[in-house]
Amino acid sequence: MTDYLVKAMAYDANVRAFAVTAKDTVYEALNRHGLNPVAAIALGRGLMAAAILNGMGKGDDIVTTLQINGDGPMEGMVCVADRKGTLKGYIKNNDYESYGENGIFGVGACIGRGYLNIIKDLGMKEPYAGTIPLQSGEIGDDLAYYFTYSEQIPSMVALGVKLNSDATVRQAAGVIIQMMPGATEEIITEVESRITEMKSATSLIERVKTPEAMLEFILGKENIVFTGTEPVSYQCNCSEEKMFKGVISLGRKELTEIVEEQDTVETVCHFCNNKYIFTAEQLKKFIKDI
Ligand SMILES: [Zn+2]
């Protein structure tokens, strides 16, 4: 597995930075869900955003969920990251014909207008949740807006997925640079000009190869201190037990109707597309117990 996230501080801890490479992870997501090209790019951006957001948190049990709800044909997505570096996610609707106006691959056009929700579950009583209206639906812009207005941390976000013509993933990379309160105008201007120079996250990683080198390009080798590395991979933690709980949550009345009509009940995990089949016998036994 070649995917990972790096964390760094720069300019005497006045700038916080994160970069991720996630080519294999995005390819796994694309394959598992049979995504169309725009949906693959969109979900790839969402997964990298979730990985970085979770990497920002403290504690071993933190789980970060990024949800997008939009009125476009893709309808949005759900992406989840945990501390073990596992990522999972799904596009709400992958079954649509149009890729946006004039067939142009536009993530924003396919997501439409709506909201971005970030939920950080620290394993305590109440998870932290923040919501902002989508700015462009391109995810990077929306996340930058989220940091600036919801967390009051001015941030620059670049998330990119580039596909090959055979629908494999050529590059998937993301960068988030955050200005801490001590960051001077001079630092901000310098970093902004390097960001403009990098063009896009995918073109930068294509040139410099690693997430570390991406951050060195943006922040300057002499200014940066790397503070950690975390692996990233696409994995689902669904199980027969969890999926059975999902089925029985339908309630006694509905379950009784189902077992009268069907011999088996099939349920599919949204995140990995694995199928779980339960027999009417298994369900009947359970209904008797409630
Ligand atoms: Zn699953």
Side-chain angles (χ1 to χ4, degrees), residues 77-264:
M77 70 179 73
V78 178
C79 296
V80 183
D82 71 20
R83 225 23 191 303
K84 294 174 205 84
T86 63
L87 284 174
K88 58 181 182 178
Y90 63 90
I91 289 288
K92 291 192 176 166
N93 182 27
N94 181 45
D95 188 18
Y96 59 90
E97 297 286 323
S98 154
Y99 291 157
E101 279 174 42
N102 308 320
I104 293 165
F105 285 1
V107 170
C110 292
I111 287 177
R113 287 167 304 175
Y115 291 90
L116 166 74
N117 302 315
I118 306 291
I119 303 147
K120 292 179 194 170
D121 191 342
L122 306 166
M124 321 269 237
K125 277 180 201 158
E126 287 291 313
Y128 164 85
T131 300
I132 53 119
L134 291 174
Q135 301 303 298
S136 67
E138 296 285 339
I139 305 168
D141 300 343
D142 305 305
L143 205 58
Y145 185 88
Y146 164 81
F147 285 124
T148 306
Y149 293 95
S150 197
E151 299 199 344
Q152 277 89 46
I153 306 170
S155 304
M156 299 164 212
V157 182
L159 302 166
V161 176
K162 200 171 171 189
L163 302 180
N164 292 311
S165 52
D166 63 354
T168 54
V169 181
R170 185 176 172 91
Q171 293 297 352
V175 177
I176 298 183
I177 310 289
Q178 301 194 307
M179 298 300 161
M180 300 293 108
T184 59
E185 277 306 316
E186 210 181 339
I187 295 172
I188 296 170
T189 312
E190 206 170 305
V191 173
E192 277 175 347
S193 81
R194 299 316 287 285
I195 296 228
T196 312
E197 236 178 277
M198 86 169 186
K199 293 191 180 86
S200 67
T202 49
S203 72
L204 182 59
I205 199 159
E206 195 127 319
R207 278 180 280 152
V208 303
K209 311 293 180 216
T210 66
E212 288 90 341
M214 291 175 82
L215 294 184
E216 285 173 354
F217 175 89
I218 298 165
L219 299 165
K221 224 174 188 166
E222 64 284 8
N223 299 320
I224 200 167
V225 179
F226 289 101
T227 55
T229 303
E230 289 177 15
V232 168
S233 65
Y234 196 98
Q235 279 174 48
C236 189
N237 56 354
C238 63
S239 64
E240 199 166 306
E241 195 189 337
K242 281 188 193 170
M243 295 306 278
F244 189 69
K245 277 186 189 158
V247 173
I248 59 177
S249 71
L250 291 171
R252 189 183 185 126
K253 188 169 167 274
E254 200 162 333
L255 284 176
T256 310
E257 279 170 26
I258 291 170
V259 296
E260 275 168 12
E261 286 164 17
Q262 300 164 223
D263 294 333
T264 57

Side-chain angles (χ1 to χ4, degrees), residues 14 55 256 275:
N14 288 314
T256 310
K275 274 183 199 159

Side-chain angles (χ1 to χ4, degrees), residues 32 88 235-239 243 268-274 276:
R32 276 188 185 266
K88 58 181 182 178
Q235 279 174 48
C236 189
N237 56 354
C238 63
S239 64
M243 295 306 278
V268 178
C269 173
H270 283 311
F271 289 103
C272 66
N273 269 349
N274 280 350
Y276 292 87

